Amino acid sequence: MKEIEGLTHQEAKNRFFDLIKKCGLSPLGIETLLGYKSEGKYVSAIRSGSKLATNSLINRILEKFKFTKEEFKNLDLEFNELKISQTLSNFNEEHYGTDISKFYEIENQTTSTVKQLIQAGYFSTKRTSPEILAKFKELGLNYTSNDLSRDLTNLVSQKILQARKITKINKNGSRGKKMVNEYWVD
C-alpha cells in the first residue's frame, strides 16, 4: 500500500483519529460523514490495525472538511475549529429528522458549544432560544430550534443549565402570547 505523501501510515492514522476525537464522532458517524457504508467497520479496522488509513480516505477528509493537504499533514497544527464546526453543522442539517446521536461518541456539537458559552459567561444572563440560535449563527453554526431545544432540555435535566418558560417579548416591545424558554446558569 502506497504511503500517504509526507506521512507514515501511523502518522496518517493518528491524524485521522485526532480529527475523529475533535469532532466527537463515532466510527459510524465519521464513515457516514465521509460517504462510506460499512457501518463503522472500516474505521474500527483502521483502529485495530487490520486496515491502513489510505490516500483515498485522506482525500475524502480533505474534500469534506475543506482542509488543504498541508493542514492535514502538519502534525504540529491543530485542526481548524471553524472548518470542523461548519462541516458538522452541514452534516447535522443533512440528517435533519433522524436520530443523529448514533453518529456521536461524545456529546454532540450543540452541547459542546453551549458548554463553551457557559464557560465564557454567556449564560450568566438569561437567554431565550432565539437569542441562543442567533449566537450560534454568529459562530457559523446553523441549527434548527428543535435540535437546539432537545439539547438544551438535556442540559437542564443534567442540572448544567436552569430554565423557565416566559412570555415572548415581540419586536415592538409588547408581550406576546407565545411562551418561550429562557436558560441561564447561577
Side-chain angles (χ1 to χ4, degrees):
M1 180 82 35
K2 185 179 170 193
E3 294 246 329
I4 311 305
E5 183 183 325
L7 292 177
T8 67
H9 285 297
Q10 188 61 47
E11 289 169 333
K13 175 182 175 179
N14 292 346
R15 196 74 168 141
F16 176 53
F17 283 102
D18 285 346
L19 177 62
I20 292 173
K21 183 177 180 184
K22 194 104 135 137
C23 293
L25 292 168
S26 66
L28 174 63
I30 193 71
E31 285 186 22
T32 303
L33 176 80
L34 297 175
Y36 289 101
K37 297 187 183 201
S38 57
E39 300 177 359
K41 294 175 187 153
Y42 180 56
V43 171
S44 296
I46 294 171
R47 182 174 279 141
S48 73
S50 61
K51 293 221 182 258
L52 298 174
T54 63
N55 281 317
S56 172
L57 171 68
I58 303 307
N59 287 331
R60 285 186 187 208
I61 291 168
L62 299 179
E63 180 182 328
K64 190 54 90 167
F65 287 90
K66 302 194 180 358
F67 293 143
T68 64
K69 285 181 181 179
E70 290 70 33
E71 283 177 298
F72 188 84
K73 291 188 321 187
N74 186 341
L75 304 176
D76 297 323
L77 185 67
E78 289 289 324
F79 286 112
N80 183 313
E81 294 282 345
L82 188 57
K83 288 181 180 181
I84 290 172
S85 293
Q86 191 58 55
T87 301
L88 291 176
S89 179
N90 293 341
F91 177 68
N92 292 338
E93 283 179 24
E94 288 169 17
H95 292 88
Y96 176 75
T98 61
D99 178 13
I100 60 170
S101 64
K102 63 186 173 213
F103 296 140
Y104 290 92
E105 238 176 40
I106 57 173
E107 65 193 17
N108 66 29
Q109 186 184 21
T110 307
T111 302
S112 176
T113 302
V114 169
K115 285 182 176 179
Q116 289 171 2
L117 289 172
I118 289 169
Q119 288 178 344
Y122 180 76
F123 285 97
S124 59
T125 302
K126 293 177 180 168
R127 306 290 182 170
T128 62
S129 296
E131 289 174 311
I132 299 166
L133 279 172
K135 182 66 173 177
F136 272 48
K137 269 203 189 310
E138 272 179 43
L139 297 171
L141 305 170
N142 295 311
Y143 287 93
T144 66
S145 127
N146 286 342
D147 291 336
L148 180 63
S149 177
R150 178 191 64 234
D151 293 328
L152 291 172
T153 299
N154 288 338
L155 288 169
V156 169
S157 70
Q158 295 170 31
K159 303 201 181 315
I160 293 171
L161 281 176
Q162 294 190 19
R164 70 176 180 183
K165 288 229 182 259
I166 61 166
T167 307
K168 182 178 178 182
I169 306 293
N170 294 323
K171 289 183 181 174
N172 66 10
S174 67
R175 288 237 177 246
K177 294 182 180 179
K178 185 177 180 185
M179 299 294 282
V180 294
N181 284 322
E182 182 176 65
Y183 300 91
W184 72 95
V185 294
D186 280 330

